Amino acid sequence: MFATIRNFAKSPIGVALFAVLILSFGVWGVHDVFKGRISNDVITAGSRVVSPSDFKREFETYRKGVEQQAGQPITAEIAAENHLDTRLIDELATREAFAALLDKIGLRPSDTLMKAQLEKIPAFFDQVSGRFDKTLYQQRLGENQLTPVIFERMMRDEIAENHLVTAIVNGLRVPRAYSALGAVYEMESRDVGYFVVDPKSVPPLGLPTDAQLTEFMKDNAAQLMRPEFRQLTVVRFSPSLISGALPIDEAELKKRYEYRKDTLSKPETRTIAQIPAKDAKTAQAIADRLNKGENPNLIAKSVGVDAIIYADKPKSAIADSKVGAAAFALPVGATSVVQGDLGVAVVKVGAISPGHAVTLEEVRPALEAELRKDAAAEKVYELSQKYDDAHSGGASLPEAALKAGVATISVGPVSEQGADPKGQPVPGVTQKLVQTAFALAPGTDSEIEDAGQGEYFAVRVEKVIPKALPALEEVKPLLTRVWMQREMIKRLQAKADELAARVKKGESLEAVAGSIGQHVTQVAGLDRQNAAQNKSLSQDALGKTFNNPPGEVFTAEAAGTFGLVVAKLEHVTAPSGSTLAHVTEDTRPQMTMAIFREVGVDARKAALSEVKVRKYPEQARAALGLEPLDTKTTKAGAKPGKAEKSQ
């Protein structure tokens, strides 16, 4: 064999092959040649991997959670368009990196601890014996698309993380000085003075000219642009449009009544006690005791069986048909020994609720509605076929509808959102109808579309009204109000800035306020705890009050009126004494938890740096059955299947 290899190595083909190998070593390196990526894993983090099946399972869980939050179905395609797949890849990469780091530092739950945790999960235990049931364990996991290997890995990760968290929380406590700073921040009080600059403080505005409004429209074209509208002709095939006029065949009605009579009628029900017996002698002894009035459950236990109690059940509910026939032939209180298909049994009848055989007249309205519904569905199908045949033969929508004997309706103008030019919903228009209509070219017809619940439609686009700005005269009153409001805000801001500049140069707040006929309002003792109850300052003014140093002059929105305020932060008073000490201790646990959350975030970042993590977005898309990304749009220019490194 070795001689053969040596001969091959000396041959021209062998020499060429080795030349290629040597060249590849020089270009890519020995490691990459022999250890190239051949798996289809979505994520690798150290020794841990997320396979395509793992990713698909995690993605489905993630997608369903987003669906519940959004309140609407979300397909895999829509989820990918909104980058939910890449977001999940990042989350899973961080999770796996952190788990790999814990494993690397030796934080691994023992098998004994794993067993103890499994024994705390009732779903895996047999309800009768109370013992762990391996078959039930595998079944429960299978119902959630999990295997024991995956589930136990997840459990080990969770236990390891919980132990780390517990250790950190028990040992972490921020210094008292740190929480004292937080207490000072929360409790410091601020005194601010302000006056209002309202429209009376500036010259009045005149009405805008048409030229100004036209320019204003151009500047705000995106907000004022009216959407595209379409004028449609629609033909509907609906059972609701047909059923009311359909006659009822009396013979068919009676036929359906006979067929449904048993299910529509109320059957006789009985309360029956049934006790299994091993032989006829035991059965007779049980019957004698029942006749004496003994409790069926106590009798059954004395002979080593359980009594079967049928409470107000029909004959069909009794498992053994012979036992059921015998029990329903007995009067109230009677007892009988029965040789059933499943063995000897003793039955006793406790109570009887008579049944009721429904008459035709009692169910006539319901049966007539069913017949009309069925006939209407057949008629709808027949009409839609006539229409489709005519339309396929070259007839336009109105012509095909006429040949089928179906009326057409004119709809619109309607926007893609189903609204008219005034923004009101157009009656009878569904989202699917407008989606179909807006996918058509002007003057073309759709095929017959399923509208759901047995209804169908076809639509023709008669006219397209393009997007356009409204005529000035149509929106002039509204534009005038908005224009004047914006211009007034500009004037007020300019005036407020002018007045604030005077205060900054040394004039008193009171003197500057008096120059425009206003007075100063003082707000004292304002802190972060009582700020929410303050009604004299807006949120804008409160934010600037707490984010500026003492002596700062600023402008902000006024509260409860149209205008601005010019304000000055007069004093900042730090808390002291026993109250500060009390708050310092009270806020220490919250400060500790805030630090702990930051430690958790940094620990996961550290895991991504410490553990070699690679992400393969294309493998993730393949696992979800999605089309590959365009190589130009792949992140960082990575080609399909190429890894993205986590930094």
Side-chain angles (χ1 to χ4, degrees):
M1 178 177 178
F2 289 110
T4 303
I5 294 174
R6 283 195 297 270
N7 291 333
F8 173 74
K10 295 177 182 178
S11 69
I13 297 176
V15 171
L17 179 59
F18 279 113
V20 171
L21 285 174
I22 292 168
L23 179 62
S24 67
F25 294 161
V27 176
W28 293 291
V30 176
H31 179 273
D32 289 337
V33 170
F34 287 105
K35 293 188 178 181
R37 172 177 164 80
I38 58 173
S39 73
N40 61 350
D41 296 323
V42 176
I43 298 168
T44 62
S47 61
R48 298 173 67 93
V49 300
V50 175
S51 68
S53 59
D54 293 337
F55 181 78
K56 185 176 181 180
R57 184 189 68 254
E58 297 271 8
F59 181 82
E60 284 303 308
T61 302
Y62 191 63
R63 183 180 62 79
K64 289 175 183 176
V66 176
E67 279 186 341
Q68 290 180 350
Q69 293 178 0
Q72 63 182 23
I74 297 176
T75 64
E77 289 77 11
I78 293 175
E81 286 174 7
N82 289 274
H83 310 295
L84 295 188
D85 55 335
T86 54
R87 193 183 310 167
L88 179 61
I89 290 173
D90 291 339
E91 291 181 10
L92 293 180
T94 303
R95 185 189 75 185
E96 294 301 312
F98 189 65
L101 182 61
L102 295 185
D103 187 66
K104 184 177 180 180
I105 64 178
L107 193 57
R108 306 183 191 92
S110 66
D111 292 340
T112 303
L113 182 57
M114 283 289 297
K115 182 175 180 294
Q117 291 298 316
L118 280 173
E119 290 176 352
K120 293 179 181 180
I121 304 176
F124 301 150
F125 285 76
D126 185 275
Q127 298 299 312
V128 177
S129 66
R131 293 191 295 271
F132 180 82
D133 189 326
K134 186 175 181 180
T135 302
L136 184 61
Y137 170 56
Q138 294 174 339
Q139 178 186 333
R140 291 282 187 268
L141 294 181
E143 291 170 357
N144 292 279
Q145 290 77 50
L146 295 171
T147 65
V149 172
I150 295 173
F151 179 74
E152 289 169 18
R153 184 188 68 196
M154 293 167 59
M155 180 176 281
R156 285 183 188 276
D157 292 346
E158 184 178 351
I159 292 172
E161 186 169 342
N162 285 342
H163 280 209
L164 177 67
V165 168
T166 302
I168 294 174
V169 170
N170 289 340
L172 183 65
R173 196 176 187 199
V174 299
R176 187 175 285 106
Y178 191 91
S179 57
L181 288 173
V184 170
Y185 176 80
E186 286 293 325
M187 295 178 61
E188 66 177 6
S189 64
R190 299 189 170 220
D191 301 338
V192 62
Y194 71 91
F195 63 88
V196 177
V197 181
D198 59 22
K200 294 181 293 185
S201 308
V202 297
L205 277 172
L207 292 174
T209 64
D210 287 356
Q212 288 175 312
L213 290 179
T214 301
E215 189 64 29
F216 187 65
M217 285 183 68
K218 291 179 181 178
D219 293 341
N220 296 275
Q223 293 84 356
L224 294 170
M225 187 72 69
R226 286 182 173 174
E228 177 184 308
F229 288 93
R230 296 195 168 198
Q231 190 74 39
L232 313 174
T233 298
V234 178
V235 56
R236 292 178 59 201
F237 305 93
S238 172
S240 62
L241 301 176
I242 300 171
S243 58
L246 294 175
I248 296 297
D249 185 337
E250 192 68 20
E252 184 62 30
L253 178 68
K254 290 179 180 178
K255 181 180 177 181
R256 181 163 297 202
Y257 165 71
E258 292 296 332
Y259 180 75
R260 300 276 305 281
K261 182 167 61 175
D262 290 341
T263 57
L264 294 172
S265 297
K266 178 186 176 184
E268 176 186 315
T269 59
R270 296 191 172 204
T271 298
I272 300 167
Q274 176 184 336
I275 302 175
K278 62 182 179 180
D279 51 43
K281 182 178 179 181
T282 304
Q284 189 57 53
I286 292 172
D288 292 340
R289 293 175 67 182
L290 284 172
N291 287 328
K292 291 177 182 178
E294 291 188 46
N295 187 297
N297 289 309
L298 296 178
I299 296 173
K301 288 188 179 298
S302 69
V303 297
V305 296
D306 292 326
I308 304 170
I309 307 298
Y310 295 98
D312 199 29
K313 299 293 183 183
K315 186 193 295 186
S316 59
I318 299 177
D320 193 319
S321 59
K322 289 183 179 179
V323 172
F328 271 74
L330 297 173
V332 175
T335 303
S336 177
V337 176
V338 184
Q339 177 60 56
D341 293 328
L342 305 177
V344 180
V346 183
V347 293
K348 181 173 182 177
V349 179
I352 299 175
S353 298
H356 172 67
V358 70
T359 65
L360 174 59
E361 294 308 314
E362 287 175 323
V363 295
R364 177 181 287 274
L367 292 182
E368 286 183 350
E370 286 183 10
L371 287 172
R372 284 197 174 94
K373 182 179 179 181
D374 293 345
E378 293 179 6
K379 187 67 174 176
V380 162
Y381 178 76
E382 176 189 339
L383 293 174
S384 66
Q385 287 301 301
K386 286 183 179 179
Y387 170 88
D388 194 42
D389 290 343
H391 193 255
S392 300
S396 65
L397 182 146
E399 294 168 345
L402 183 62
K403 290 181 180 180
V406 184
T408 59
I409 57 174
S410 180
V411 175
V414 60
S415 70
E416 196 167 2
Q417 286 69 45
D420 63 18
K422 294 182 179 180
Q424 299 301 312
V426 176
V429 169
T430 64
Q431 191 60 38
K432 184 167 185 179
L433 190 148
V434 293
Q435 285 176 348
T436 302
F438 273 77
L440 297 172
T444 59
D445 307 338
S446 74
E447 299 298 326
I448 294 180
E449 299 287 341
D450 188 349
Q453 299 182 343
E455 295 193 5
Y456 302 87
F457 70 86
V459 59
R460 176 181 177 84
V461 178
E462 300 290 356
K463 182 181 179 183
V464 174
I465 305 170
K467 294 181 180 180
L469 285 171
L472 176 60
E473 291 304 317
E474 293 181 51
V475 292
K476 189 172 183 178
L478 174 62
L479 280 183
T480 299
R481 287 196 300 272
V482 175
W483 184 90
M484 294 188 70
Q485 184 181 50
R486 292 192 182 185
E487 288 300 312
M488 179 55 71
I489 290 174
K490 290 179 184 178
R491 290 195 180 189
L492 289 174
Q493 187 63 63
K495 186 65 176 179
D497 291 342
E498 174 196 325
L499 297 172
R502 290 170 57 186
V503 178
K504 289 178 181 178
K505 288 179 180 179
E507 289 189 60
S508 69
L509 198 65
E510 289 75 11
V512 175
S515 68
I516 60 169
Q518 296 286 355
H519 66 277
V520 175
T521 300
Q522 296 289 344
V523 179
L526 192 64
D527 60 39
R528 288 176 174 82
Q529 295 177 344
N530 64 28
Q533 285 75 46
N534 184 280
K535 303 300 181 185
S536 59
L537 292 173
S538 67
Q539 289 297 314
D540 182 33
L542 287 171
K544 291 177 179 177
T545 297
F546 286 102
N547 287 303
N548 278 308
E552 186 70 19
V553 179
F554 58 87
T555 65
E557 295 175 5
T561 185
F562 181 71
L564 300 172
V565 297
V566 175
K568 182 178 181 181
L569 184 57
E570 306 283 6
H571 301 288
V572 177
T573 306
S576 61
S578 60
T579 303
L580 177 60
H582 179 71
V583 174
T584 296
E585 285 304 312
D586 284 349
T587 58
R588 205 170 179 187
Q590 290 88 341
M591 288 284 188
T592 300
M593 288 308 299
I595 293 294
F596 169 72
R597 285 191 290 270
E598 292 179 9
V599 169
V601 171
D602 289 341
R604 281 163 171 77
K605 289 180 180 177
L608 288 170
S609 300
E610 186 73 20
V611 178
K612 185 177 180 181
V613 178
R614 289 182 179 273
K615 299 176 286 187
Y616 300 90
E618 287 296 354
Q619 303 293 5
R621 291 183 66 85
L624 302 178
L626 299 175
E627 291 293 327
L629 291 169
D630 187 276
T631 54
K632 294 180 180 179
T633 60
T634 304
K635 185 177 179 181
K639 292 183 179 180
K642 191 170 182 179
E644 295 175 9
K645 295 181 181 180
S646 291
Q647 301 298 329

